[in-house]
Amino acid sequence: MPCCRSYKPPFQFLKNVRPSSSRPPLLLLLLMSVVIMATSPCCWAQEQQIDAQVRLPPELFNAALDYAKAKLPQDITKDNEIMRSPSTLYQIAKGMSNHDATRQKAVQIFHILADIDKESKFQQQQHQGYAIESQVALGFYYSKQHDGNHDLDKALHYFETAGEAGPHQAALYNAGRIHAAKGQWVPAMAFIHAAATMKEQDHDESSSYYYYSDSVEETALEAFELLSQRIAQQPALSIREIADIFMYANLDNFPNSSSNNDKDSTELWTNAMLLADKLEQQGMLQGKKKDQQQQQKHEQQLQQKIQVDMEACLSLLVQLWESSSSSSLPKMSRLQAYLLLQTALQILVQLVEWSDTYVPAAAGYAEALALSPYCVDHAVAGGDATTTTDSSSSSTSPSFCFSETVVIAMKLYKQLQDLDGVRRIEELISQHFPAHMKDKTALYQEL
């Protein structure tokens, strides 16, 4: 793709995205509102003096002609060649789409223009811009409640097609917006990242179409941060989702697999996630304690094999964490740091059940995760105010990450009899729950 690294999962073994069923919060939906662009893009290639003609069914052409007669000069409406050019037909369809009586005819014209890419190469070059604009128009049409034809899947198809073909920044953004509304976090992050970084990405200079806008970039950058926060609040992300999201979760494109400097980091993450995915498929990384009956199913030999895989995965994650923290390369984004720490802690919590050797590391990583911005900031912002009465859904609370990790850290520091560690966690709880004594008391009861 000319506008971003890849829309497909970066690893071959990750072929099936498993979207979360939860939806973005109201704030995210308000910010990630539909971005509608002006008719003419900022960077159109020079138009051909005479456009190749577009064939319309007679009934549809007559409807366009009738509309044009009321809006355009006679010298245009009487010129059959001009009337059948994609530029004229697009403008006519755009006008017709604003009126209930002619909207369906406009949509039919947009569909014909949008499919121009199926024509000859010569026609593609001349029509590409209008094909992309028509795809964007269809994306907006199907994403709205027009004529009972509200269809987010169709809207997504046209936004994705236009976004990748241009690239068209507003189409990329709106594709990400719809994926976020569906709770499909990997493609949502991929498309929002592409829109936010489009100016920095290489694009095909030979393309006859390229759409970029400073205002869309600003909106996409804000949406990227809100989407990152929302993803960090998801308690049930699979390893495959974490693996893919990580690759899009940095506006500086770290790690960049095409950069010699970042190849080691990319390889560390890839290999760690391959092992983590294997462990998850074996039921060892579910983010919650297994009952005794489930634990007994694992024989000693199998447990030792799984422990070896866990240790290897943890070693790779620690290498990536330490190399990113100490090198002069671009640092991890806050979301990337959160995802790495969360995955490492899942592994350490399981290893602690098998060996006390890992207790110090588990305590340290739990404290680090609690102190990470997407944990501690949500604790400050709202405590457990948004926790639902349904205990099964309480994990969607903004402070879920914070409350869970400080509990783990406190238990482990007490097990180590590390008084400094206990004191730091006590101060952390007091600092971030001063006005929520009920929540604070609940935390201490759990500890």
Side-chain angles (χ1 to χ4, degrees):
M1 308 298 172
C3 55
C4 65
R5 290 174 288 173
S6 172
Y7 291 122
K8 297 179 181 178
F11 310 130
Q12 289 299 315
F13 77 102
L14 308 181
K15 294 182 179 178
N16 297 315
V17 175
R18 289 176 279 176
S20 167
S21 59
S22 54
R23 300 176 69 83
L26 178 61
L27 179 60
L28 180 60
L29 292 176
L30 287 175
L31 176 64
M32 298 181 70
S33 57
V34 175
V35 173
I36 302 177
M37 303 310 300
T39 306
S40 300
C42 63
C43 303
W44 281 87
Q46 292 295 322
E47 294 183 20
Q48 303 290 337
Q49 295 216 347
I50 300 178
D51 288 339
Q53 292 188 0
V54 178
R55 297 182 181 276
L56 295 182
E59 180 184 355
L60 193 56
F61 178 76
N62 290 334
L65 184 60
D66 290 341
Y67 181 86
K69 286 179 178 178
K71 303 291 183 180
L72 301 176
Q74 287 188 359
D75 59 336
I76 293 179
T77 58
K78 289 182 177 181
D79 190 321
N80 189 61
E81 188 173 282
I82 294 178
M83 277 298 299
R84 291 185 181 274
S85 72
S87 55
T88 303
L89 287 173
Y90 171 77
Q91 296 296 339
I92 292 173
K94 192 170 184 299
M96 294 171 68
S97 67
N98 294 323
H99 305 281
D100 293 340
T102 55
R103 185 175 295 115
Q104 282 298 318
K105 297 292 185 184
V107 170
Q108 293 178 50
I109 296 174
F110 284 141
H111 271 290
I112 291 173
L113 293 172
D115 289 336
I116 284 175
D117 62 346
K118 299 176 183 177
E119 303 293 339
S120 68
K121 186 175 181 180
F122 171 74
Q123 288 176 311
Q124 286 182 37
Q125 291 174 344
Q126 288 194 310
H127 295 181
Q128 186 184 23
Y130 299 107
I132 292 171
E133 285 291 350
S134 296
Q135 290 159 1
V136 174
L138 290 170
F140 290 130
Y141 171 76
Y142 287 114
S143 66
K144 296 179 180 179
Q145 298 286 351
H146 276 321
D147 310 319
N149 287 321
H150 180 68
D151 189 332
L152 283 183
D153 289 335
K154 280 188 177 180
L156 195 54
H157 164 73
Y158 284 111
F159 281 137
E160 287 184 350
T161 301
E164 295 176 15
H168 191 291
Q169 190 182 32
L172 291 168
Y173 170 85
N174 281 287
R177 173 183 62 85
I178 293 175
H179 276 301
K182 288 173 169 282
Q184 297 169 346
W185 309 117
V186 175
M189 180 60 79
F191 279 100
I192 294 297
H193 178 277
T197 61
M198 182 170 153
K199 190 176 182 180
E200 310 302 324
Q201 301 291 337
D202 293 333
H203 65 278
D204 186 359
E205 298 291 347
S206 65
S207 173
S208 63
Y209 188 91
Y210 173 77
Y211 195 109
Y212 166 82
S213 165
D214 288 336
S215 62
V216 178
E217 181 183 89
E218 183 178 351
T219 301
L221 288 170
E222 293 178 19
F224 181 88
E225 176 57 28
L226 282 177
L227 182 59
S228 296
Q229 293 178 24
R230 182 56 179 166
I231 288 172
Q233 294 176 34
Q234 300 305 308
L237 289 175
S238 70
I239 289 297
R240 296 186 177 194
E241 288 177 301
I242 291 172
D244 287 342
I245 289 169
F246 186 91
M247 300 302 291
Y248 298 111
N250 194 311
L251 293 174
D252 293 323
N253 288 336
F254 172 83
N256 184 351
S257 58
S258 63
S259 167
N260 289 329
N261 292 331
D262 285 357
K263 280 184 178 178
D264 290 344
S265 297
T266 304
E267 185 176 349
L268 286 171
W269 179 253
T270 303
N271 292 337
M273 291 299 98
L274 284 167
L275 287 168
D277 180 68
K278 177 182 176 182
L279 292 165
E280 185 177 61
Q281 299 308 312
Q282 294 172 330
M284 300 308 299
L285 291 181
Q286 301 298 327
K288 52 186 176 184
K289 235 178 178 177
K290 300 167 187 59
D291 55 41
Q292 289 184 351
Q293 184 179 2
Q294 188 178 12
Q295 290 283 14
Q296 290 170 358
K297 291 181 181 179
H298 297 283
E299 298 177 356
Q300 184 68 23
Q301 186 177 1
L302 179 59
Q303 177 181 316
Q304 290 175 353
K305 184 177 180 181
I306 290 173
Q307 185 170 343
V308 169
D309 286 341
M310 284 190 166
E311 290 170 344
C313 181
L314 181 63
S315 175
L316 292 168
L317 292 173
V318 170
Q319 288 181 60
L320 178 57
W321 175 257
E322 292 179 349
S323 65
S324 177
S325 301
S326 61
S327 71
S328 59
L329 299 175
K331 304 298 182 183
M332 288 186 195
S333 69
R334 293 189 294 178
L335 180 57
Q336 286 177 319
Y338 171 86
L339 294 172
L340 187 150
L341 290 170
Q342 181 190 55
T343 305
L345 184 59
Q346 281 191 67
I347 294 171
L348 282 163
V349 166
Q350 181 60 59
L351 287 172
V352 163
E353 294 186 14
W354 296 334
S355 172
D356 290 343
T357 304
Y358 290 96
V359 173
Y365 271 82
E367 183 177 1
L369 182 56
L371 287 168
S372 66
Y374 287 153
C375 262
V376 74
D377 288 352
H378 288 306
V380 173
D384 282 334
T386 60
T387 301
T388 63
T389 55
D390 181 0
S391 60
S392 65
S393 61
S394 62
S395 59
T396 59
S397 164
S399 62
F400 169 73
C401 168
F402 181 81
S403 60
E404 183 183 60
T405 50
V406 293
V407 165
I408 293 172
M410 180 68 86
K411 285 181 177 179
L412 294 173
Y413 280 132
K414 284 184 175 180
Q415 183 177 337
L416 290 167
Q417 298 183 349
D418 184 338
L419 298 181
D420 288 338
V422 171
R423 176 183 52 77
R424 289 196 304 273
I425 299 301
E426 287 178 341
E427 290 177 354
L428 193 60
I429 294 172
S430 297
Q431 180 181 357
H432 295 295
F433 284 90
H436 301 281
M437 294 308 297
K438 180 180 178 181
D439 300 323
K440 180 179 174 182
T441 302
L443 280 177
Y444 277 113
Q445 288 175 346
E446 192 169 356
L447 294 171

